[in-house]
Amino acid sequence: MVSSLTEHGVAAQTPVAATASGTQTTQKTVQGTLATIASAALDLDGPLVVTVGDEVGLRAELSWWESRALYGWRVLVPRTKDQAGAMSDRLAVHGATAEEVPTIAVEPPRSPTQMERAVKGLVDGRYQWVVFTSTNAVRAVWEKFAEFGLDARAFSGVKIACVGSATAEKVRGFGINPELVPSVEEAQESSSEGLLGIFPPYDDVLDPVDRVLLPRATSPPRRWRPGCATAAGRSTTSRRTARCAPRRRRPRSARRSRPAGSTRSASRRRPPCATWSASPASRTPARSSRASGRRRPRRPASSACGWTSSRRSPRPGAGRRAGRARREAPRRRRPAPAAQGEGPPPLAALGSCGRTLGRMPFPAHRPRRLRTTPALRRLVAETDLRPRHLVLPMFVKEGAGEPIAIASMPGVVQHTRDSLRKAAVEAVQAGVGGLMLFGVPERHDAAGSAGVDPDGVLNVALRDVRAEVGDATVVMADTCLDEFTDHGHCGVLDADGNVDNDATLGVYQRMAVAQAEAGAHLLGPSGMMDGQVGAIRAALDEAGHQDVGILAYTAKYTSAFYGPFREAVESQLQGDRKTYQQDGANVREALRELALDLEEGADMVMVKPAMAYLDVLRAVAESADVPVAAYQVSGEYAMVEAAAANGWLDRERTILETLTGIRRAGADVVLTYWATEVAGRLDRA
């Protein structure tokens, strides 16, 4: 182009401007003369817009990107994905290049129980004020309202306070006019603490209710927490509306490339996941796992731009006192980049933490040091597996003259009375924590009467085992009718052939009393009838068996893994159990069952099966305040045995790995057909 203009008589000193990426925030323009522009434009990429002649001087009068205040800045926007767009557009208007790097993602809380209670409290008139501190909180509450078929009328008689104009606009969008929206000056930059400073005082005459609902994703500020000076003398209830998703790795471009010019963060506020791992303020910060001897690993905090910080989240279960300030670790500066051509900085130049952009903290941190010897690995193990954690399920067959092998469960048998006593003694000597007995009767009928009969096979077995081992282990009984009915269902049927829930409860009550009188320490109602725990508890107490506990089958799912068990108990099942056992797609349903079982008096709770439902087990363990058991069922046992028999798996290592995984997920107790074998092996370790 330069040659062509020169040939056509354009003077070499004619001013020329070349622009790349025109009308974009990455726009770049160089100026020169016709003689120099070719060399000046070598660094420009892509198609160029070239201006020649006196018009070059008019560029200063045009509002191009170079004249804007933030031109040349590359700004990280660490907001959630659905909130980053508006901020990026505003930055672009001022000439900056926005780099969207979400450091948090808003997800629903694992347990909906608290929000459901909050919604019920609003409908019942338990709250006088609702304080929204973010648009996320407004959206979460409104979504929960939609689940219950509620609308703005549910807020009748409730006053609304909002932090920030955006939050107030979100509330107005749902047809509700907030009573209190402080100005920025009044609320000290619209903070929750500032809102508290102008909150109306409580009047015990004019205000019949003195409760304030505070839905938010993290733990509330100290002054909003119960036990502190709350909202003008009112009591505060905090309900969690969201949680932070695990921190994801930043895009490669954001990790490795150096931004043009300086880099600033669009937000100085740390994301919630860097501050609290949190449960609602009415409880302690996140609880440690229920598995004995195990600490939940801390998640590293995240700074606004996604860097790993030396500041840590509160230790789960540490019981930090409300409002106690944490010391901030000193900020470390990133090492200066090496000059071009010098190569990467030497490791020694990285400082004690070894941190540089895109690098791991090596060699100061070497996690392999703690894996070098078996003794070190045992010392720092976060999860332990001991014989006391294991319970052995056992089958006893009425009238059997010798143990009968179960083809689909290699190594497991239907015991005689004599072999049952012997196996029970061996299990106790190995140190197992308990024995769960199942009966296989000779006679089945529609009512499952053999399960209620004091001289039925299961009750006789309970007396035999209790007489043999006494209190040396925990003797448990399966309180269910499926082994005893001729239709194979866990309850009695009505005239239409459906399981009659309420009629079954009466049978369970008689069955439970018979098992308690036979010597069982714990009863395991596994039929998944509504109200079964409360009915059994009432019957036991009325019969004078207040010390007999209940191990509730809280989350028992309809599962294909029960196949070998049905052979073991010679089940007569007709149809399926989908109308009373849980759907494998549901987790919240398990937490609802948990709340009901605990309310009815369960002493322990169980998840069954275990290996395919570890997420449910974790959710139950985090929510329950009683010991949690998990049942490694017959199908899980059988598939490992089959794979090992074919040489596809190392049998012993696989068994230990599966049991450790169940413990790591949160089980205090594991029911497994390998209990005696593994207990003996652990005792020798």
Side-chain angles (χ1 to χ4, degrees):
M1 183 195 69
V2 171
S3 301
S4 177
L5 290 173
T6 302
E7 291 174 0
H8 285 78
V10 179
Q13 300 304 314
T14 302
V16 179
T19 302
S21 302
T23 72
Q24 301 180 33
T25 57
T26 54
Q27 174 178 306
K28 185 176 181 181
T29 301
V30 295
Q31 291 185 233
T33 63
L34 190 60
T36 62
I37 193 63
S39 58
L42 289 177
D43 294 335
L44 299 182
D45 296 325
L48 304 180
V49 177
V50 180
T51 306
V52 181
D54 295 338
E55 289 79 4
V56 171
L58 299 177
R59 287 191 65 260
E61 301 177 11
L62 301 177
S63 180
W64 280 28
W65 295 107
E66 292 96 329
S67 64
R68 302 194 180 186
L70 296 181
Y71 174 75
W73 291 101
R74 193 176 189 185
V75 182
L76 297 182
V77 183
R79 297 191 171 187
T80 58
K81 190 174 184 65
D82 59 340
Q83 295 175 337
M87 175 61 73
S88 299
D89 293 342
R90 292 174 61 189
L91 290 169
V93 169
H94 294 283
T97 300
E99 187 78 45
E100 295 183 5
V101 186
T103 55
I104 61 171
V106 178
E107 296 182 354
R110 290 189 178 95
S111 171
T113 305
Q114 297 229 345
M115 275 296 295
E116 290 173 357
R117 290 177 183 170
V119 171
K120 186 176 184 298
L122 279 172
V123 175
D124 293 343
R126 295 188 61 226
Y127 303 107
Q128 185 192 19
W129 282 88
V130 179
V131 177
F132 290 110
T133 59
S134 69
T135 57
N136 288 331
V138 179
R139 183 172 63 247
V141 170
W142 202 255
E143 288 173 353
K144 185 59 65 176
F145 268 49
E147 289 182 20
F148 287 94
L150 301 174
D151 55 27
R153 289 173 292 182
F155 283 94
S156 176
V158 180
K159 299 178 181 179
I160 308 296
C162 298
V163 174
S165 57
T167 305
E169 285 302 315
K170 191 77 171 180
V171 170
R172 293 188 184 100
F174 293 120
I176 304 170
N177 192 35
E179 276 78 12
L180 181 60
V181 184
S183 66
V184 173
E185 293 78 10
E186 288 176 326
Q188 300 176 1
E189 299 184 2
S190 298
S191 69
S192 299
E193 292 283 352
L195 176 63
L196 185 60
I198 63 169
F199 212 81
Y202 170 61
D203 188 317
D204 59 356
V205 176
L206 299 179
D207 296 337
V209 180
D210 66 342
R211 294 186 183 91
V212 177
L213 176 62
L214 181 63
R216 53 186 285 134
T218 58
S219 183
R222 180 187 180 193
R223 291 177 62 200
W224 286 94
R225 300 178 198 167
C228 302
T230 56
R234 309 169 194 271
S235 64
T236 305
T237 301
S238 175
R239 291 291 181 248
R240 191 170 186 181
T241 60
R243 63 185 178 92
C244 291
R247 186 171 67 88
R248 297 174 175 83
R249 297 186 64 175
R250 290 176 293 141
R252 183 178 298 274
S253 60
R255 290 201 307 270
R256 295 190 176 276
S257 61
R258 293 214 27 110
S262 301
T263 303
R264 290 182 177 176
S265 169
S267 173
R268 296 184 180 180
R269 185 180 303 172
R270 295 176 65 83
C273 56
T275 310
W276 288 82
S277 52
S279 60
S282 56
R283 300 183 180 181
T284 56
R287 291 187 291 180
S288 60
S289 172
R290 302 204 56 82
S292 174
R294 198 174 110 262
R295 291 193 301 265
R296 187 178 303 165
R298 298 170 184 154
R299 180 180 296 167
S302 303
S303 73
C305 60
W307 279 76
T308 300
S309 168
S310 58
R311 180 177 178 181
R312 293 179 176 176
S313 302
R315 185 177 62 190
R320 184 181 297 276
R321 288 176 293 181
R324 182 176 177 182
R326 291 177 294 170
R327 296 181 60 186
E328 295 256 3
R331 295 179 180 270
R332 294 188 176 95
R333 296 184 179 276
R334 284 179 280 176
Q340 188 173 3
E342 292 182 4
L347 291 175
L350 299 180
S352 60
C353 70
R355 178 180 293 144
T356 187
L357 188 62
R359 294 182 180 273
M360 296 298 291
F362 174 85
H365 296 280
R366 294 179 182 265
R368 288 182 56 188
R369 292 190 187 108
L370 297 181
R371 306 172 197 152
T372 53
T373 69
L376 263 174
R377 294 193 292 272
R378 285 195 302 270
L379 177 67
V380 299
E382 299 173 24
T383 305
D384 66 339
L385 179 66
R386 306 307 306 159
R388 67 181 180 84
H389 299 136
L390 307 177
V391 171
L392 176 65
M394 307 177 77
F395 305 99
V396 56
K397 180 173 174 59
E398 187 174 20
E402 60 182 15
I404 302 172
I406 301 170
S408 57
M409 300 176 67
V412 181
V413 301
Q414 293 175 328
H415 284 286
T416 66
R417 290 178 63 183
D418 289 338
S419 68
L420 177 70
R421 287 192 292 263
K422 181 180 178 181
V425 171
E426 291 175 353
V428 171
Q429 290 174 345
V432 299
L435 308 171
M436 173 65 80
L437 303 189
F438 297 86
V440 184
E442 289 183 314
R443 177 175 54 87
H444 301 81
D445 59 31
S449 55
V452 179
D453 185 356
D455 295 321
V457 59
L458 180 54
N459 292 322
V460 170
L462 287 169
R463 286 196 292 270
D464 288 345
V465 171
R466 185 66 188 274
E468 195 72 31
V469 303
D471 294 331
T473 192
V474 180
V475 179
M476 310 178 190
D478 178 55
T479 310
C480 192
L481 294 177
D482 59 320
E483 301 105 300
F484 305 101
T485 57
D486 55 10
H487 46 71
H489 281 286
C490 298
V492 296
L493 304 184
D494 60 19
D496 297 324
N498 300 315
V499 175
D500 190 327
N501 187 96
D502 295 0
T504 299
L505 295 183
V507 181
Y508 282 0
Q509 288 179 313
R510 299 195 301 275
M511 190 177 189
V513 172
Q515 291 174 347
E517 291 175 349
H521 295 102
L522 278 178
L523 306 185
S526 60
M528 293 300 291
M529 297 296 117
D530 292 341
Q532 62 183 11
V533 173
I536 290 173
R537 182 74 270 161
L540 290 173
D541 291 350
E542 184 178 351
H545 297 294
Q546 292 87 350
D547 293 335
V548 175
I550 298 177
L551 168 56
Y553 282 61
T554 290
K556 183 178 180 180
Y557 286 88
T558 303
S559 174
F561 287 104
Y562 300 148
F565 176 89
R566 290 171 185 161
E567 177 189 350
V569 298
E570 300 178 5
S571 173
Q572 311 292 311
L573 180 63
Q574 301 169 16
D576 57 50
R577 297 171 177 160
K578 294 181 179 179
T579 61
Y580 47 99
Q581 292 180 352
Q582 288 178 229
D583 185 344
N586 298 342
V587 177
R588 291 196 299 269
E589 184 181 26
L591 298 178
R592 184 183 182 191
E593 293 279 4
L594 170 65
L596 292 171
D597 284 351
L598 294 178
E599 185 176 353
E600 292 175 21
D603 301 287
M604 298 174 62
V605 295
M606 183 193 292
V607 175
K608 179 182 180 181
M611 292 166 57
Y613 294 87
L614 295 180
D615 59 325
V616 179
L617 175 57
R618 167 54 65 89
V620 169
E622 289 181 341
S623 301
D625 55 3
V626 297
V628 177
Y631 199 143
Q632 187 179 51
V633 298
S634 58
E636 296 169 329
Y637 171 92
M639 66 183 184
V640 173
E641 289 288 351
N646 283 278
W648 299 334
L649 292 175
D650 183 320
R651 180 178 178 276
E652 292 189 359
R653 288 183 58 193
T654 303
I655 291 171
L656 287 178
E657 186 172 341
T658 59
L659 293 174
T660 302
I662 296 169
R663 284 273 297 142
R664 186 178 63 247
D668 301 292
V669 176
V670 183
L671 283 76
T672 175
Y673 299 98
W674 290 304
T676 301
E677 175 190 344
V678 172
R681 196 188 315 163
L682 293 173
D683 191 50
R684 295 191 301 270

